[in-house]
C-alpha cells in the first residue's frame, strides 16, 4: 500500500516566483535597537560593580576586563547575527499563496493561502517610523499561526502589499 | 516592488455561498417567520434566585447571631439585589433572529447588544441537569468560530423554545449544493442513527480508559468528603486498628505482609476501575450519534443530559485516537476539532470533542466517510516518510540509554550496571515499528496523517479547512535534508496539537506544503 516513487504534485512543476528580501534598512534599525538594549544592560552591570557591597572586595581589573570582553562579544555577535537574520527573511507571493521564510538556526517556512486571511494589520513602532519601515501582521483563523508578521517592509510598500492582499483574499469578509 | 494586479472575480464554484448571507427565501412548506423572536423561560428567575441563595445561605447564621443591625441590613440588601438582578435578567433578556443574525440584548442599566451572524454559528449545545429535566428546560450555548468559548448563553430555555431556535438556525431551507438552479429545496430529513452505545460499550470504554489515575483521585476526594462526616474518634479507632494489625502481621511473617500490600494495591486498582467505569457511564450513558441532513447530533449523559448539533462541514480536523490499552484490544476513540469552542488548556470533562467515545477500529474506518462530506470517494495512498527517521529515533534513544548507563555505573561500579545499554536493540526495534506506522496520504480533498506505534493517532484534515502550512527545519533536519510539516487549522484544542508529519525529505515537504496551500486557497473558507 506504500509507494516509494517520488510523487507528482501538480504545483511542483509550476513556475514559482523567487523570494523577495525584506528592506535592508531593517538591519541598521535592528542594530540601533540592539545598541540601546545593550547599553541599558551593560550600564546596569557596571552599576552593579560599583554597589558598595560589591566594591568592598575592591575593583579588581579582571572584573572590568570581563565586563569589557562580554560587551565586545555581544556587540560583535549582534552585528553578525542581524545580518544573517536579515538574509534568512524572505517572502514571495503568487495569486493564491503567500510564503514567508525566516530563521537562521531553526528555519521556518510558512505558507498562507490568501483566501484564509481574516485581516491584515500594519504595525510601525517609533523605531520603524524613523527608518520609514513597517511590519505587516497577517491574521488567520488558525490556532498556532493565528498571526504571522513580516518585519522590515518599506512603509509605502507595506501599505501597497496590504491593499493587494486584502483585494485578493478579502472578499470572504468577516 | 511590483505586485500583480488582483485577479478578476473568480469564477470558481462557490458551493452554497448564498446559504445564510441573505435572509432565507420564504418557504411556504414550513412557514418559518422572517423575524424570529424569543425569550428565556420564566423559570430563569427561579434558577437565578437559587443561584443567589447559594451565595447568601452561608451568611444567614450571621444574620441570626450577629449583635449589631449591620449584618441584618447587609443581608437584606444582598437579598434584594439578588432578587432584583434575577428579575432584571429575565425581563431584559431578549433574543431574535433578524436578517441572518442572532441578536441578543440584555441588561437594564447597561444595555448589552450582541449580534452573531448565523452563518458563523458552529454549534448549539444543550445541557440538562436533573432538575432541568424534571422542569423541561435546558441551558443552551451558542458557539461560534471565535474560539474564546461560548458566544452566547441562553439559560434557561424551554425545550420547545430550544427546538424552535435549533430548527431556525440549522434547518432553514437550504439550496442543495449540487443544484445550480437553486429552485429545489432540501427538506429536513429525519434523524438517522449512526451509532448508539450500549452499557457494554461504555463499560469497555471505562475499563480501557487511561483515566484510572483520575478515578483514584476521585476516590480520594470522596474520602475527603467522608472525612468531614465521619466523627474523628471513629476515624482514629479505625487507624489504630489497622496499624496494630499491620504491625502484628509484619512481626508474624513477611510473606503475609507482602501479600497484604499487593492485595491493597489490587484493591486500589479495582476501585479505580470501578470509578472509571462509573464515570464513563455517568458521562456517556445512552450515547447516540445520529445524522440529520447535513449535521451530526450527539446526545449523552445519565444525570446531566447533553446534546449538540454539529454541522459536518464544520469539522476542522478528525482524529482517530488509539491509546495504548485501547489499541491492544482493537478499540479507538473518534474526536473532532470544530472551530467553535476552542478551550486550550481547559480540562475537558464533558466529552465535548468526542464524536464517538469508543468503537472498534474497523467500525470507525467504516463510519468516517459518513462523518466527513465527500470523504467516501477520496482516492489516496499512504506514503511513508524518510527512512532516516529510524536512524534519528535510534540515535536519540541510544543517547538516553548511554546517559542512563553512565549514571548507573557512577552509582554502582559493576558490569551489571551497564544494563541500560542492553535496551538499545529494543529501542531500534520500537523505532522500526513506529516508522512503519508513520505516514501520510494526500488526496484531492483530504490530508491524512498517522503516527505512533504503541499509541496511535490518525488525523484527517479537509484541505479547505487549512489555515496555514508550516515547514520547520532544525539544524539536524538540515544536515539530513529533512523537514517537519505542520498544519494549522481553526480551533485546534482537542486533537493533540494537530496534524504533523516529521522526517519528510525537504523537497517532498516543500511540494506537499505548496500543494496544500494552493489547494486550500482555491476553495473559499466557509465557517
Amino acid at each position: 500500500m506504500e509507494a516509494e516513487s517520488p510523487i507528482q504534485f501538480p504545483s511542483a512543476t509550476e513556475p514559482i516566483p523567487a523570494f523577495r528580501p525584506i528592506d535592508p534598512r531593517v538591519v541598521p534599525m535592528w542594530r540601533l535597537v540592539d545598541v540601546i538594549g545593550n547599553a541599558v544592560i551593560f550600564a546596569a552591570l557596571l552599576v552593579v560593580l560599583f554597589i558598595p557591597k560589591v566594591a568592598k572586595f575592591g575593583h579588581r581589573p579582571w572584573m572590568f576586563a570581563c565586563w569589557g570582553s562580554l560587551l565586545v562579544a555581544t556587540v560583535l555577535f549582534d552585528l553578525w547575527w542581524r545580518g544573517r537574520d536579515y538574509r534568512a527573511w524572505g517572502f514571495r507571493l503568487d495569486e493564491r499563496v503567500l510564503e514567508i521564510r525566516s530563521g537562521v538556526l531553526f528555519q521556518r517556512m510558512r505558507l498562507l493561502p490568501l483566501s484564509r486571511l481574516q485581516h491584515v494589520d500594519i504595525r510601525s513602532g517609533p523605531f520603524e517610523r524613523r527608518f520609514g519601515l513597517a511590519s505587516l501582521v497577517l491574521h488567520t483563523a488558525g490556532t498556532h499561526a493565528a498571526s504571522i508578521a513580516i518585519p522590515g517592509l518599506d512603509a509605502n510598500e507595506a501599505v501597497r502589499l496590504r491593499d493587494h492582499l486584502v483585494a485578493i483574499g478579502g472578499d470572504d469578509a468577516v | 516592488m511590483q505586485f500583480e494586479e488582483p485577479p478578476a472575480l473568480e469564477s470558481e464554484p462557490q458551493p452554497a455561498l448564498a446559504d445564510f448571507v441573505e435572509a432565507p427565501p420564504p418557504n411556504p412548506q414550513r412557514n418559518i417567520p422572517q423575524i424570529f423572536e424569543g425569550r428565556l423561560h420564566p423559570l430563569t428567575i427561579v434558577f437565578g434566585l437559587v443561584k443567589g441563595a447559594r451565595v447568601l445561605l452561608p451568611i444567614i447564621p450571621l444574620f441570626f447571631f450577629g449583635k449589631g443591625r449591620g449584618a441584618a441590613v447587609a443581608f437584606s440588601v444582598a437579598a434584594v439585589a439578588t432578587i432584583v438582578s434575577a428579575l432584571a435578567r429575565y425581563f431584559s433578556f431578549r433574543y431574535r433572529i433578524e436578517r441572518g443574525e442572532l441578536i441578543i440584548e440584555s441588561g437594564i442599566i447597561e444595555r448589552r447588544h450582541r449580534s452573531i451572524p448565523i452563518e458563523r454559528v458552529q454549534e448549539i449545545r444543550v445541557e440538562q441537569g436533573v432538575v432541568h429535566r424534571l422542569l423541561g428546560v435546558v441551558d443552551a450555548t451558542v458557539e461560534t468560530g471565535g474560539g474564546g468559548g461560548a458566544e452566547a448563553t441562553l439559560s434557561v430555555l424551554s425545550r420547545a423554545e430550544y427546538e424552535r431556535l435549533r430548527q431556525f438556525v440549522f434547518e432553514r431551507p437550504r439550496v442543495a449544493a449540487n443544484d445550480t438552479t437553486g429552485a429545489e429545496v432540501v427538506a429536513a430529513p429525519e434523524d438517522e442513527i449512526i451509532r448508539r452505545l450500549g452499557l457494554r460499550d461504555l463499560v469497555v470504554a471505562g475499563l480501557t480508559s487511561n483515566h484510572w489515575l483520575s478515578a483514584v483521585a476521585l476516590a480520594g476526594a470522596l474520602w475527603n468528603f467522608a472525612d468531614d462526616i465521619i466523627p474523628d474518634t471513629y476515624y482514629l479507632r479505625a487507624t489504630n486498628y489497622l496499624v496494630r494489625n499491620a504491625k502484628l502481621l509484619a512481626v508474624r511473617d513477611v510473606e503475609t505482609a507482602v501479600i497484604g500490600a499487593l492485595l491493597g494495591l489490587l484493591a486500589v486498582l479495582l476501585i479505580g476501575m470501578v470509578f472509571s467505569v462509573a464515570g464513563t457511564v455517568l458521562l456517556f450513558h445512552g450515547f447516540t450519534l445520529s445524522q440529520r441532513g447535513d449535521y451530526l447530533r450527539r446526545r449523552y449523559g445519565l444525570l446531566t443530559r447533553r446534546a449538540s448539533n454539529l454541522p459536518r462541514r464544520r469539522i476542522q480536523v478528525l482524529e482517530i485516537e488509539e491509546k495504548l490499552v485501547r489499541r491492544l484490544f482493537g478499540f479507538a476513540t473518534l474526536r473532532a476539532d470544530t472551530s467553535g469552542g476552542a478551550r486550550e488548556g481547559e480540562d475537558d470533562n464533558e466529552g465535548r470533542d468526542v464524536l464517538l467515545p469508543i468503537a472498534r477500529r474497523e467500525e470507525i474506518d467504516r463510519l468516517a466517510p459518513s462523518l466527513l462530506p465527500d470523504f467516501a470517494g477520496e482516492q489516496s495512498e499512504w506514503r511513508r516518510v524518510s527512512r532516516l527517521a529510524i536512524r534519528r529515533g535510534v540515535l536519540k534513544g541510544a543517547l538516553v540509554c548511554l546517559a542512563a548507563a553512565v549514571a548507573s555505573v557512577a552509582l554502582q561500579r559493576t558490569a551489571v550496571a551497564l544494563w541500560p545499554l542492553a535496551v538499545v536493540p529494543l529501542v531500534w526495534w520500537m523505532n522500526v515499528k513506529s516508522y512503519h506506522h508513520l505516514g501520510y496520504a494526500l488526496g484531492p480533498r483530504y490530508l491524512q496523517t498517522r503516527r505512533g506505534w504503541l499509541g496511535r493517532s490518525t488525523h484527517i484534515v479537509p484541505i479547505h479547512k487549512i489555515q496555514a502550512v508550516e515547514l520547520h527545519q532544525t539544524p539536524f533536519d538540515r544536515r539530513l535534508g529533512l523537514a517537519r510539516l505542520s498544519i494549522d487549522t481553526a480551533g485546534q484544542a482537542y486533537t493533540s496539537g494537530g496534524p504533523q508529519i516529521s522526517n519528510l525529505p525537504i523537497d517532498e515537504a516543500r511540494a506537499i506544503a505548496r500543494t496544500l496551500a494552493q489547494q486550500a486557497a482555491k476553495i473559499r473558507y466557509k465557517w
Side-chain angles (χ1 to χ4, degrees):
Chain A
M1 92 187 172
E2 326 273 339
E4 295 290 343
S5 62
I7 203 168
Q8 273 304 309
F9 294 101
S11 67
T13 51
E14 280 172 25
I16 301 168
F19 272 109
R20 230 184 263 274
I22 55 175
D23 198 296
R25 280 176 294 171
V26 77
V27 179
M29 188 203 84
W30 281 340
R31 287 182 179 150
L32 177 67
V33 174
D34 283 345
V35 164
I36 293 170
N38 286 335
V40 171
I41 292 167
F42 280 91
L45 279 177
L46 202 61
V47 168
V48 168
L49 285 182
F50 282 99
I51 287 173
K53 273 195 178 165
V54 180
K56 201 168 63 185
F57 298 104
H59 290 126
R60 306 279 161 71
W62 62 263
M63 286 184 181
F64 294 100
C66 273
W67 181 83
S69 47
L70 199 63
L71 178 63
V72 171
T74 310
V75 167
L76 286 179
F77 174 79
D78 281 346
L79 282 178
W80 169 80
W81 175 259
R82 289 311 191 182
R84 284 293 286 114
D85 200 19
Y86 165 74
R87 269 175 289 156
W89 274 100
F91 65 96
R92 62 186 172 197
L93 185 68
D94 62 19
E95 280 157 45
R96 294 204 184 100
V97 177
L98 174 68
E99 199 174 331
I100 303 161
R101 65 150 206 234
S102 63
V104 178
L105 264 183
F106 295 87
Q107 292 183 352
R108 225 155 45 141
M109 197 136 72
R110 285 169 292 185
L111 290 92
L112 210 81
L114 294 180
S115 58
R116 297 297 175 273
L117 276 179
Q118 292 286 326
H119 58 275
V120 184
D121 287 343
I122 290 182
R123 206 171 54 190
S124 57
F127 290 104
E128 284 174 313
R129 277 206 298 278
R130 267 204 69 78
F131 282 82
L133 297 172
S135 306
L136 211 60
V137 188
L138 310 150
H139 297 269
T140 71
T143 318
H144 308 290
S147 68
I148 297 173
I150 312 177
L153 295 172
D154 177 82
N156 296 323
E157 283 305 324
V159 173
R160 279 187 50 198
L161 184 53
R162 179 200 56 194
D163 292 346
H164 179 74
L165 290 176
V166 170
I168 294 182
D171 59 9
D172 185 30
V174 177
Chain B
M1 247 190 293
Q2 283 241 325
F3 298 109
E4 308 104 72
E5 283 293 303
L9 268 180
E10 291 178 50
S11 54
E12 279 150 290
Q14 296 179 10
L17 188 70
D19 273 5
F20 294 124
V21 180
E22 292 294 314
N27 181 2
Q29 284 174 327
R30 283 199 292 141
N31 202 16
I32 291 169
Q34 286 287 308
I35 294 175
F36 172 100
E37 270 184 307
R39 310 201 55 170
L40 298 178
H41 193 273
L43 277 170
T44 303
I45 306 173
V46 179
F47 279 101
L49 287 178
V50 169
K51 214 165 138 194
R54 259 195 228 147
V55 182
L56 285 179
L57 274 177
I59 312 176
I60 289 180
L62 217 74
F63 176 51
F64 282 112
F65 302 118
K67 289 221 174 85
R69 215 177 287 163
V73 171
F75 179 79
S76 319
V77 168
V80 169
T82 306
I83 293 166
V84 167
S85 77
L87 288 173
R89 183 174 146 73
Y90 171 68
F91 284 108
S92 70
F93 200 102
R94 236 161 266 253
Y95 65 92
R96 62 177 192 273
I97 293 172
E98 211 178 82
R99 263 168 299 175
E101 283 192 333
L102 172 63
I103 296 165
I104 292 168
E105 286 174 324
S106 63
I108 283 183
I109 299 164
E110 196 189 296
R111 206 76 183 127
R112 258 186 305 187
H113 178 108
R114 170 172 279 179
S115 55
I116 304 165
I118 286 192
E119 84 238 43
R120 289 285 153 92
V121 173
Q122 294 295 318
E123 206 173 350
I124 300 180
R125 292 176 207 278
V126 284
E127 229 179 274
Q128 238 188 337
V130 179
V131 181
H132 288 74
R133 279 167 76 182
L134 287 176
L135 298 172
V137 292
V138 298
D139 269 351
T141 305
V142 180
E143 304 260 11
T144 70
E151 209 75 12
T153 310
L154 303 170
S155 161
V156 294
L157 288 181
S158 68
R159 272 217 69 90
E161 183 70 12
Y162 156 69
E163 198 56 36
R164 207 158 75 94
L165 177 70
R166 188 187 61 77
Q167 277 186 6
F168 203 88
V169 171
F170 287 119
E171 283 176 27
R172 296 196 308 163
R174 300 257 315 269
V175 177
N178 50 2
D179 185 359
T180 44
T181 62
E184 208 173 308
V185 157
V186 181
E190 285 304 297
D191 265 30
E192 180 190 324
I193 289 169
I194 297 177
R195 185 73 160 85
R196 187 174 269 155
L197 294 185
L199 198 61
R200 233 189 90 227
D201 296 309
L202 293 178
V203 169
V204 170
L207 287 178
T208 55
S209 83
N210 290 1
H211 300 308
W212 288 4
L213 274 181
S214 63
V216 171
L218 187 72
L222 270 184
W223 174 282
N224 230 347
F225 178 68
D227 204 23
D228 289 342
I229 299 173
I230 299 166
D232 276 356
T233 47
Y234 180 82
Y235 190 61
L236 208 68
R237 263 185 7 229
T239 327
N240 277 340
Y241 175 81
L242 276 177
V243 168
R244 217 168 34 236
N245 280 291
K247 266 187 189 157
L248 262 171
L249 264 179
V251 168
R252 205 171 289 162
D253 60 335
V254 183
E255 269 169 50
T256 325
V258 168
I259 289 170
L262 281 178
L263 279 177
L265 201 70
L266 200 70
V268 168
L269 265 180
L270 272 175
I271 291 170
M273 280 162 82
V274 167
F275 273 99
S276 178
V277 168
T280 310
V281 170
L282 217 61
L283 180 60
F284 288 126
H285 180 262
F287 189 97
T288 312
L289 177 69
S290 54
Q291 188 179 353
R292 181 165 176 151
D294 205 24
Y295 61 97
L296 301 169
R297 301 182 80 181
R298 286 174 296 165
R299 268 166 297 156
Y300 56 96
L302 183 61
L303 296 179
T304 300
R305 293 284 296 170
R306 295 187 166 90
S308 82
N309 299 278
L310 172 69
R312 282 195 309 167
R313 61 195 168 81
R314 279 170 194 167
I315 293 178
Q316 311 283 318
V317 180
L318 200 68
E319 187 196 8
I320 302 167
E321 178 198 81
E322 297 161 278
K323 291 237 170 101
L324 176 60
V325 184
R326 292 211 175 139
R327 184 161 147 63
L328 283 177
F329 293 101
F331 289 107
T333 302
L334 198 62
R335 294 174 186 282
D337 268 335
T338 60
S339 60
R343 285 178 185 73
E344 268 187 293
E346 190 182 301
D347 197 19
D348 187 79
N349 51 9
E350 293 170 5
R352 254 191 218 114
D353 55 322
V354 177
L355 274 188
L356 199 54
I358 194 158
R360 290 247 156 229
R361 177 61 212 253
E362 311 88 70
E363 198 185 344
I364 286 185
D365 285 339
R366 215 169 50 238
L367 286 181
S370 65
L371 302 180
L372 293 163
D374 301 323
F375 188 64
E378 187 81 354
Q379 296 282 326
S380 59
E381 54 178 346
W382 283 95
R383 300 184 58 85
R384 282 181 189 160
V385 300
S386 167
R387 280 197 83 86
L388 289 168
I390 303 176
R391 203 177 99 187
R392 296 182 86 176
V394 173
L395 201 66
K396 252 190 238 168
L399 282 176
V400 172
C401 289
L402 191 68
V406 167
S408 154
V409 167
L411 282 175
Q412 39 175 306
R413 294 163 191 286
T414 53
V416 185
L418 283 170
W419 66 266
L421 289 181
V423 184
V424 173
L426 185 72
V427 168
W428 174 80
W429 183 69
M430 278 174 62
N431 273 288
V432 171
K433 274 288 190 196
S434 64
Y435 170 75
H436 288 291
H437 290 288
L438 199 64
Y440 71 96
L442 179 60
R445 288 200 190 83
Y446 289 90
L447 170 74
Q448 300 178 66
T449 67
R450 78 175 174 213
R451 59 171 184 257
W453 165 54
L454 284 174
R456 214 200 284 189
S457 97
T458 309
H459 288 92
I460 306 173
V461 197
I463 289 175
H464 66 283
K465 297 294 185 196
I466 292 175
Q467 297 287 339
V469 185
E470 287 197 33
L471 282 183
H472 296 260
Q473 268 195 307
T474 64
F476 299 108
D477 278 327
R478 270 209 303 289
R479 256 188 40 152
L480 299 172
L482 302 176
R484 175 164 58 90
L485 182 96
S486 57
I487 309 289
D488 196 24
T489 55
Q492 283 179 2
Y494 303 122
T495 51
S496 45
Q500 277 187 12
I501 318 170
S502 308
N503 296 308
L504 277 173
I506 180 70
D507 292 332
E508 196 177 333
R510 283 212 182 99
I512 299 169
R514 282 200 71 77
T515 309
L516 287 176
Q518 293 282 344
Q519 284 289 99
K522 270 185 207 161
I523 314 160
R524 297 241 169 263
Y525 185 65
K526 278 205 64 198
W527 286 93

